[in-house]
Amino acid sequence: MKNALNPTSVRKPFGNYNHGLLVGPGASLLVTSGQLGIGVDDVIPDDVTAQTEICFKAIDAILKEAGMTFADVIRISGFVTRREDFPAYMAVRDRFTLDPKPVSTLIVVGGFTRPEFLVEVEVTAAKVI
């Protein structure tokens, strides 16, 4: 069981996320590495939306391998190289996430291991067993 934590003494979240999620005892925990916008065919799309979709589809596959879904995601950390890519990233993130919305952080970074990469996403998931 996950309980969303959004105290009234803290400003309401800016988007579709919660300030905190409390996971009950007996949960199985999954932590992913950062996923980049590169397909299994080594193709890297030019736009942030397509790269973000690749990231979230990769995370979906990892979740499934662990017997989980996006309903089990409790934290998302996203990294983009351009501030103007926030809306595109968040639109893809919001299509994949389920209620209760996970906690979420989005950071602008100077770059990744290759200049073609525009976004990287990692998640933490917990499922009560």
Side-chain angles (χ1 to χ4, degrees), residues 2-23:
K2 295 177 290 201
N3 295 316
L5 303 173
N6 293 298
T8 57
S9 61
V10 177
R11 190 205 179 277
K12 181 181 172 186
F14 284 104
N16 291 320
Y17 62 92
N18 286 296
H19 284 307
L21 283 178
L22 180 62
V23 178

